[in-house]
Amino acid sequence: DILVREELNALEAKYGDRLEIWYTVDRVGDLAPSEWKYDVGFISPEMVKKHLLFEDAPDNKAATQFFMCGPPPMIKFACIPALKESGFSEASWSVF
């Protein structure tokens, strides 16, 4: 299950010109891998660069905000290091 997934998808549909939602899960459950268009596994700097930056923004880092939820070890040992390695600071993310 993804916390508030329906609400996030609705926001992306409404504000798609400035909001992109990208999910990463540890497993896809009952879905076939081909049915899941998002990532599976650990957050990495490559994933951040590939999916989470708006290429047309004049200053990608200033225009990007990350909202993360998940198990604390995932946030601490995967998400935050990947964001830091990609050049983002704590002001760029929120964890809940």
Side-chain angles (χ1 to χ4, degrees):
D1 291 339
I2 296 174
L3 184 66
V4 298
R5 182 176 180 184
E6 292 171 7
E7 292 85 347
L8 291 169
N9 290 345
L11 288 169
E12 183 180 34
K14 185 174 182 178
Y15 301 106
D17 61 325
R18 56 190 167 144
L19 174 65
E20 179 181 359
I21 304 293
W22 193 259
Y23 300 108
T24 303
V25 296
D26 62 341
R27 59 188 175 280
V28 294
D30 295 336
L31 292 176
S34 62
E35 294 180 78
W36 181 252
K37 73 174 191 174
Y38 303 102
D39 283 315
V40 177
F42 289 104
I43 306 289
S44 68
E46 294 77 21
M47 186 187 303
V48 170
K49 291 173 187 159
K50 182 177 180 181
H51 297 294
L52 302 178
L53 297 177
F54 289 108
E55 292 187 13
D56 58 347
D59 181 355
N60 281 335
K61 288 184 173 68
T64 304
Q65 186 69 39
F66 300 92
F67 299 92
M68 303 174 283
C69 66
M74 179 194 75
I75 301 293
K76 182 177 180 181
F77 297 113
C79 299
I80 291 174
L83 293 175
K84 285 182 176 179
E85 189 174 324
S86 298
F88 292 94
S89 70
E90 194 170 336
S92 299
W93 65 73
S94 297
V95 178
F96 52 98

